[in-house]
Amino acid sequence: MTLSAIQVVLLVLAWSAYAVLHSALASLTVKRWVAARWPHRAHGYRLGFNLLAVVLLLPPLWLTFGWRGALLWSWSGSWAWVANGLALAAVAGFVWSTRYYDMAEFSGGAQWRTARSRIPAGCGCHRCTATSATPGTASAWWSCGRGTWTRHGS
């Protein structure tokens, strides 16, 4: 099956909308606005953000896996072993990085349990990214040849 131009545009728009919305909701501006508007509920923001991120991820994933096009590439032979080995290394890197990052804080569980919210004052390099594991997760996904960009239609 090949993808039509409209389907490709819809895929790009779905993933772009997800990325923009996800980044906007993660911004300090939105966090501060929520904390100012609903101070007694601000401790649930991170947990709600993560739940919403998962729910909003479903439509682009559904489109991506529902509309199958021809593969752009496929690893085979020795290169398949290399790609799968890199994916495994990326997963191991993700697991390893969780030792150095407070996953309860990241998920929102710590804020929910303590009923306290903490909004960072500024943006250091690491505080404005999800975790150090994000690049490893993306590497694992793409090295398996299952990334968003691995399918192509004409």
Side-chain angles (χ1 to χ4, degrees):
M1 175 181 175
T2 59
L3 297 177
S4 70
I6 292 173
Q7 288 173 312
V8 172
V9 168
L10 287 175
L11 276 172
V12 169
L13 287 175
W15 282 109
S16 298
Y18 176 81
V20 168
L21 187 57
H22 186 79
S23 295
L25 291 174
S27 73
L28 290 176
T29 303
V30 172
K31 290 176 193 175
R32 288 182 181 134
W33 180 81
V34 169
R37 184 149 171 105
W38 298 288
H40 57 289
R41 301 266 188 230
H43 68 278
Y45 183 83
R46 186 69 190 180
L47 188 61
F49 168 82
N50 284 324
L51 292 173
L52 185 61
V54 170
V55 169
L56 292 176
L57 190 58
L58 296 176
L61 280 175
W62 181 77
L63 290 175
T64 299
F65 289 104
W67 292 340
R68 297 275 171 146
L71 291 175
L72 283 177
W73 74 84
S74 177
W75 302 112
S76 61
S78 300
W79 288 112
W81 283 95
V82 170
N84 289 328
L86 289 172
L88 189 59
V91 169
F94 171 82
V95 172
W96 176 76
S97 74
T98 63
R99 295 175 40 199
Y100 301 98
Y101 197 84
D102 185 354
M103 294 308 284
E105 179 86 16
F106 173 71
S107 69
Q111 297 91 321
W112 185 256
R113 280 191 304 277
T114 62
R116 289 185 308 121
S117 71
R118 185 186 62 80
I119 299 172
C123 250
C125 178
H126 184 64
R127 284 184 293 184
C128 289
T129 61
T131 69
S132 57
T134 303
T137 305
S139 298
W141 186 254
W142 289 325
S143 67
C144 286
R146 289 170 173 61
T148 305
W149 317 118
T150 63
R151 303 214 174 260
H152 171 74
S154 55

mmCIF file of all heavy atoms in Angstrom, residues 10-30:
data_model
loop_
_atom_site.group_PDB
_atom_site.id
_atom_site.type_symbol
_atom_site.label_atom_id
_atom_site.label_comp_id
_atom_site.label_asym_id
_atom_site.label_seq_id
_atom_site.Cartn_x
_atom_site.Cartn_y
_atom_site.Cartn_z
ATOM 1 N N LEU A 10 -1.130 14.784 6.415
ATOM 2 C CA LEU A 10 -1.826 14.582 7.692
ATOM 3 C C LEU A 10 -0.910 13.987 8.756
ATOM 4 O O LEU A 10 -0.980 14.370 9.925
ATOM 5 C CB LEU A 10 -3.061 13.713 7.493
ATOM 6 C CG LEU A 10 -4.236 14.401 6.791
ATOM 7 C CD1 LEU A 10 -5.355 13.402 6.527
ATOM 8 C CD2 LEU A 10 -4.746 15.563 7.606
ATOM 9 N N LEU A 11 -0.048 13.063 8.364
ATOM 10 C CA LEU A 11 0.922 12.510 9.311
ATOM 11 C C LEU A 11 1.866 13.590 9.829
ATOM 12 O O LEU A 11 2.115 13.683 11.032
ATOM 13 C CB LEU A 11 1.738 11.391 8.656
ATOM 14 C CG LEU A 11 1.131 10.013 8.649
ATOM 15 C CD1 LEU A 11 1.973 9.060 7.802
ATOM 16 C CD2 LEU A 11 1.006 9.478 10.056
ATOM 17 N N VAL A 12 2.385 14.392 8.915
ATOM 18 C CA VAL A 12 3.298 15.476 9.311
ATOM 19 C C VAL A 12 2.575 16.465 10.217
ATOM 20 O O VAL A 12 3.115 16.898 11.247
ATOM 21 C CB VAL A 12 3.893 16.171 8.068
ATOM 22 C CG1 VAL A 12 4.630 17.448 8.452
ATOM 23 C CG2 VAL A 12 4.825 15.227 7.328
ATOM 24 N N LEU A 13 1.345 16.814 9.872
ATOM 25 C CA LEU A 13 0.579 17.747 10.700
ATOM 26 C C LEU A 13 0.263 17.160 12.080
ATOM 27 O O LEU A 13 0.344 17.860 13.090
ATOM 28 C CB LEU A 13 -0.716 18.153 9.993
ATOM 29 C CG LEU A 13 -0.566 19.094 8.810
ATOM 30 C CD1 LEU A 13 -1.912 19.315 8.122
ATOM 31 C CD2 LEU A 13 0.049 20.411 9.235
ATOM 32 N N ALA A 14 -0.094 15.874 12.122
ATOM 33 C CA ALA A 14 -0.417 15.239 13.408
ATOM 34 C C ALA A 14 0.799 15.233 14.323
ATOM 35 O O ALA A 14 0.703 15.594 15.506
ATOM 36 C CB ALA A 14 -0.927 13.817 13.175
ATOM 37 N N TRP A 15 1.958 14.834 13.795
ATOM 38 C CA TRP A 15 3.164 14.804 14.623
ATOM 39 C C TRP A 15 3.625 16.208 14.984
ATOM 40 O O TRP A 15 4.094 16.445 16.111
ATOM 41 C CB TRP A 15 4.282 14.017 13.934
ATOM 42 C CG TRP A 15 4.066 12.550 14.062
ATOM 43 C CD1 TRP A 15 3.703 11.675 13.087
ATOM 44 C CD2 TRP A 15 4.180 11.774 15.256
ATOM 45 N NE1 TRP A 15 3.576 10.405 13.591
ATOM 46 C CE2 TRP A 15 3.870 10.435 14.926
ATOM 47 C CE3 TRP A 15 4.507 12.065 16.580
ATOM 48 C CZ2 TRP A 15 3.879 9.410 15.870
ATOM 49 C CZ3 TRP A 15 4.525 11.041 17.514
ATOM 50 C CH2 TRP A 15 4.217 9.734 17.153
ATOM 51 N N SER A 16 3.480 17.149 14.069
ATOM 52 C CA SER A 16 3.872 18.544 14.360
ATOM 53 C C SER A 16 2.963 19.150 15.425
ATOM 54 O O SER A 16 3.438 19.824 16.344
ATOM 55 C CB SER A 16 3.822 19.393 13.092
ATOM 56 O OG SER A 16 4.744 18.905 12.147
ATOM 57 N N ALA A 17 1.667 18.890 15.316
ATOM 58 C CA ALA A 17 0.725 19.408 16.314
ATOM 59 C C ALA A 17 1.034 18.816 17.683
ATOM 60 O O ALA A 17 1.019 19.522 18.703
ATOM 61 C CB ALA A 17 -0.713 19.091 15.899
ATOM 62 N N TYR A 18 1.330 17.525 17.717
ATOM 63 C CA TYR A 18 1.689 16.896 18.989
ATOM 64 C C TYR A 18 2.937 17.547 19.576
ATOM 65 O O TYR A 18 2.979 17.879 20.762
ATOM 66 C CB TYR A 18 1.912 15.395 18.815
ATOM 67 C CG TYR A 18 2.374 14.750 20.102
ATOM 68 C CD1 TYR A 18 1.454 14.423 21.092
ATOM 69 C CD2 TYR A 18 3.723 14.506 20.348
ATOM 70 C CE1 TYR A 18 1.861 13.859 22.294
ATOM 71 C CE2 TYR A 18 4.131 13.944 21.547
ATOM 72 C CZ TYR A 18 3.198 13.636 22.513
ATOM 73 O OH TYR A 18 3.611 13.087 23.697
ATOM 74 N N ALA A 19 3.957 17.738 18.761
ATOM 75 C CA ALA A 19 5.220 18.316 19.251
ATOM 76 C C ALA A 19 5.019 19.735 19.772
ATOM 77 O O ALA A 19 5.521 20.089 20.845
ATOM 78 C CB ALA A 19 6.264 18.303 18.132
ATOM 79 N N VAL A 20 4.259 20.539 19.043
ATOM 80 C CA VAL A 20 4.021 21.930 19.461
ATOM 81 C C VAL A 20 3.208 21.973 20.751
ATOM 82 O O VAL A 20 3.550 22.694 21.692
ATOM 83 C CB VAL A 20 3.318 22.723 18.324
ATOM 84 C CG1 VAL A 20 2.799 24.061 18.822
ATOM 85 C CG2 VAL A 20 4.274 22.924 17.158
ATOM 86 N N LEU A 21 2.139 21.186 20.816
ATOM 87 C CA LEU A 21 1.301 21.169 22.009
ATOM 88 C C LEU A 21 2.066 20.632 23.216
ATOM 89 O O LEU A 21 1.992 21.183 24.317
ATOM 90 C CB LEU A 21 0.040 20.344 21.754
ATOM 91 C CG LEU A 21 -1.014 20.362 22.852
ATOM 92 C CD1 LEU A 21 -1.470 21.792 23.146
ATOM 93 C CD2 LEU A 21 -2.207 19.517 22.436
ATOM 94 N N HIS A 22 2.827 19.576 23.011
ATOM 95 C CA HIS A 22 3.618 18.988 24.084
ATOM 96 C C HIS A 22 4.633 19.999 24.625
ATOM 97 O O HIS A 22 4.769 20.168 25.839
ATOM 98 C CB HIS A 22 4.332 17.737 23.557
ATOM 99 C CG HIS A 22 5.068 16.963 24.594
ATOM 100 N ND1 HIS A 22 4.432 16.111 25.460
ATOM 101 C CD2 HIS A 22 6.380 16.903 24.900
ATOM 102 C CE1 HIS A 22 5.330 15.561 26.263
ATOM 103 N NE2 HIS A 22 6.519 16.024 25.946
ATOM 104 N N SER A 23 5.318 20.693 23.730
ATOM 105 C CA SER A 23 6.300 21.688 24.150
ATOM 106 C C SER A 23 5.644 22.875 24.831
ATOM 107 O O SER A 23 6.161 23.396 25.822
ATOM 108 C CB SER A 23 7.113 22.169 22.941
ATOM 109 O OG SER A 23 7.873 21.106 22.424
ATOM 110 N N ALA A 24 4.509 23.303 24.308
ATOM 111 C CA ALA A 24 3.812 24.448 24.915
ATOM 112 C C ALA A 24 3.347 24.101 26.330
ATOM 113 O O ALA A 24 3.521 24.902 27.260
ATOM 114 C CB ALA A 24 2.621 24.863 24.055
ATOM 115 N N LEU A 25 2.784 22.920 26.503
ATOM 116 C CA LEU A 25 2.304 22.523 27.830
ATOM 117 C C LEU A 25 3.454 22.295 28.815
ATOM 118 O O LEU A 25 3.268 22.396 30.021
ATOM 119 C CB LEU A 25 1.436 21.281 27.735
ATOM 120 C CG LEU A 25 0.091 21.478 27.041
ATOM 121 C CD1 LEU A 25 -0.630 20.144 26.875
ATOM 122 C CD2 LEU A 25 -0.778 22.465 27.798
ATOM 123 N N ALA A 26 4.641 21.994 28.299
ATOM 124 C CA ALA A 26 5.809 21.790 29.160
ATOM 125 C C ALA A 26 6.519 23.103 29.481
ATOM 126 O O ALA A 26 7.427 23.113 30.308
ATOM 127 C CB ALA A 26 6.786 20.829 28.492
ATOM 128 N N SER A 27 6.107 24.183 28.861
ATOM 129 C CA SER A 27 6.807 25.454 29.048
ATOM 130 C C SER A 27 6.612 26.012 30.451
ATOM 131 O O SER A 27 5.596 25.776 31.112
ATOM 132 C CB SER A 27 6.328 26.474 28.018
ATOM 133 O OG SER A 27 5.026 26.907 28.342
ATOM 134 N N LEU A 28 7.598 26.771 30.893
ATOM 135 C CA LEU A 28 7.509 27.420 32.199
ATOM 136 C C LEU A 28 6.359 28.423 32.240
ATOM 137 O O LEU A 28 5.734 28.604 33.285
ATOM 138 C CB LEU A 28 8.828 28.110 32.533
ATOM 139 C CG LEU A 28 9.999 27.176 32.823
ATOM 140 C CD1 LEU A 28 11.272 27.974 33.031
ATOM 141 C CD2 LEU A 28 9.711 26.314 34.028
ATOM 142 N N THR A 29 6.074 29.044 31.113
ATOM 143 C CA THR A 29 4.977 30.019 31.055
ATOM 144 C C THR A 29 3.655 29.363 31.419
ATOM 145 O O THR A 29 2.893 29.892 32.233
ATOM 146 C CB THR A 29 4.900 30.644 29.649
ATOM 147 O OG1 THR A 29 6.161 31.240 29.339
ATOM 148 C CG2 THR A 29 3.804 31.679 29.562
ATOM 149 N N VAL A 30 3.370 28.211 30.821
ATOM 150 C CA VAL A 30 2.109 27.513 31.107
ATOM 151 C C VAL A 30 2.098 26.994 32.538
ATOM 152 O O VAL A 30 1.092 27.105 33.238
ATOM 153 C CB VAL A 30 1.862 26.381 30.085
ATOM 154 C CG1 VAL A 30 0.668 25.539 30.474
ATOM 155 C CG2 VAL A 30 1.664 26.967 28.692
#
